[in-house]
Amino acid sequence: MVVGGGPAGAAAAVYAARKGIRTGVAAERFGGQVLDTMAIENFISVPHTEGPKLAAALETHVREYDVEVMNLQTATKLEAVEGGFRVTMASGAALTAASVVLSTGARWRKMGVPGEQDYLNKGVAFCPHCDGPLFKGKRIAVIGGGNSGVEAAIDLAGLVAHVTLIEFDKQLRADDVLQRKLRSLKNVTILTHAKTTEVKGDGTRVTGLAYEDRTSGEIREIALEGIFVQIGLMPNTDWLKGTIDLSPRGEIVVDAHGATSMPGVFAAGDCTTTPYKQIVIAMGEGAKASLAAFDHLIRVSAP
Ligand code: FAD
């Protein structure tokens, strides 16, 4: 059984079904984060596609096989039972399986300020690897001065005209070596003790942002074309707390085979400790988790 229907879950389902394993996928929202994405230009061999198109293709590919797709199902509990595992859904349904692949993904933490939601994919972005090239030669801001924010600012500074890094606290929280690199870049401005208060736009695209200088209390505005929000990526793993080992960030701890701390349960994609949260990586990890589940199943079912 695969829990989660994003790129990792879809790949896991296809690989499991092709091994002849009776396979089901339960997902809150088949397609996952891909559904919230517009242009995708780094899915190798497909120079350009759009999120909803790729999400539909994922589902079509899974349905080519004898896979039971259970959409709009939220898993709330995982437990080991005689002969395998039971996954309980918010609907009250409970499904049992000999092996489970967890691929519940993650969600980016949002700022929660006016304009942010209106300009998602219209200047407000989360993933520098995905959307950085769209802002070539433009002015952008990165929100968040932790490791992710500072890494994003360094990365983007090589592509865009100017980066303003905005940190809520009085100092950046990133490692010293990253801070030193950031401060060495000529096209970066660092604003600390600053709180973003609004995303500004012209109805079509982002045109700027407003922030509060937390020292003076003054509201200021910056004209720019893009805002990368880097204040955290939260794995969808709350329901697994106390069941399997999670990292301090809540990611499912996996080994090189995608195995979790519960033998017979595997995990893949953005919900795991595997670094770099990308479609192509999630798919590879989903395939790997199912191959590892297959290896597990042939051993537990040996006479
Ligand atoms: P997800 O896509 O998050 O899928 C998780 C699945 O699990 C979903 O079906 C969800 O509904 C389900 N689920 C969650 N909790 C439960 C539960 N309790 N019970 C049942 N089901 C559950 N990556 C790129 O490579 N290129 C890009 O251009 C790109 N652009 C992006 C743009 C945006 C706006 C965002 C948000 C992300 C972008 N990414 C991009 C990142 C990429 O989308 C993710 O890395 C990828 O989708 C991760 O796949 P996943 O299967 O691990 O998780």
Side-chain angles (χ1 to χ4, degrees), residues 29-45:
R29 202 170 59 121
F30 202 97
Q33 292 169 72
V34 171
L35 284 174
D36 305 325
T37 307
M38 283 317 295
I40 298 170
E41 300 183 344
N42 58 2
F43 183 46
I44 308 309
S45 85

Side-chain angles (χ1 to χ4, degrees), residues 76-80 239-246 261-262:
T76 54
K77 193 174 174 189
L78 168 71
E79 56 200 321
W239 64 288
L240 295 164
K241 273 184 191 151
T243 311
I244 53 174
D245 287 354
L246 302 178
S261 59
M262 196 182 251

Side-chain angles (χ1 to χ4, degrees), residues 4-5 7-8 28-29 33 37 42 73 75 104-105 130 269-270 278-279:
E28 210 169 281
R29 202 170 59 121
Q33 292 169 72
T37 307
N42 58 2
Q73 292 292 336
T104 48
C130 315
D270 283 16
Q278 294 283 278
I279 293 164

Side-chain angles (χ1 to χ4, degrees), residues 67-85:
V67 172
E68 197 176 333
V69 178
M70 293 158 274
N71 210 347
L72 308 176
Q73 292 292 336
T74 306
T76 54
K77 193 174 174 189
L78 168 71
E79 56 200 321
V81 293
E82 180 68 35
F85 305 93

Side-chain angles (χ1 to χ4, degrees), residues 144-162:
N147 278 347
S148 311
V150 171
E151 278 168 7
I154 294 168
D155 172 3
L156 292 163
L159 284 170
V160 305
H162 187 265

Side-chain angles (χ1 to χ4, degrees), residues 28-185:
E28 210 169 281
R29 202 170 59 121
F30 202 97
Q33 292 169 72
V34 171
L35 284 174
D36 305 325
T37 307
M38 283 317 295
I40 298 170
E41 300 183 344
N42 58 2
F43 183 46
I44 308 309
S45 85
V46 180
H48 179 95
T49 187
E50 271 144 29
K53 206 167 146 192
L54 180 59
L58 291 177
E59 189 161 354
T60 304
H61 197 171
V62 169
R63 288 188 188 275
E64 293 265 307
Y65 296 90
D66 187 16
V67 172
E68 197 176 333
V69 178
M70 293 158 274
N71 210 347
L72 308 176
Q73 292 292 336
T74 306
T76 54
K77 193 174 174 189
L78 168 71
E79 56 200 321
V81 293
E82 180 68 35
F85 305 93
R86 178 163 52 224
V87 180
T88 307
M89 302 292 162
S91 63
L95 299 158
T96 53
S99 181
V100 176
V101 174
L102 302 167
S103 52
T104 48
R107 58 202 188 278
W108 292 94
R109 195 192 298 275
K110 300 204 171 91
M111 296 181 287
V113 300
E116 181 183 37
Q117 192 65 28
D118 302 330
Y119 291 103
L120 282 184
N121 292 319
K122 295 174 187 161
V124 175
F126 296 93
C127 171
H129 318 300
C130 315
D131 295 340
L134 303 175
F135 295 91
K136 200 168 178 206
K138 299 191 169 149
R139 297 159 299 175
I140 60 128
V142 172
I143 313 299
N147 278 347
S148 311
V150 171
E151 278 168 7
I154 294 168
D155 172 3
L156 292 163
L159 284 170
V160 305
H162 187 265
V163 179
T164 305
L165 182 107
I166 301 184
E167 163 58 40
F168 183 82
D169 231 327
K170 280 192 175 148
Q171 62 272 315
L172 302 183
R173 288 162 292 117
D175 298 343
D176 275 350
V177 61
L178 292 173
Q179 292 197 36
R180 280 202 304 278
K181 174 73 191 173
L182 184 72
R183 289 181 205 285
S184 75
L185 300 173

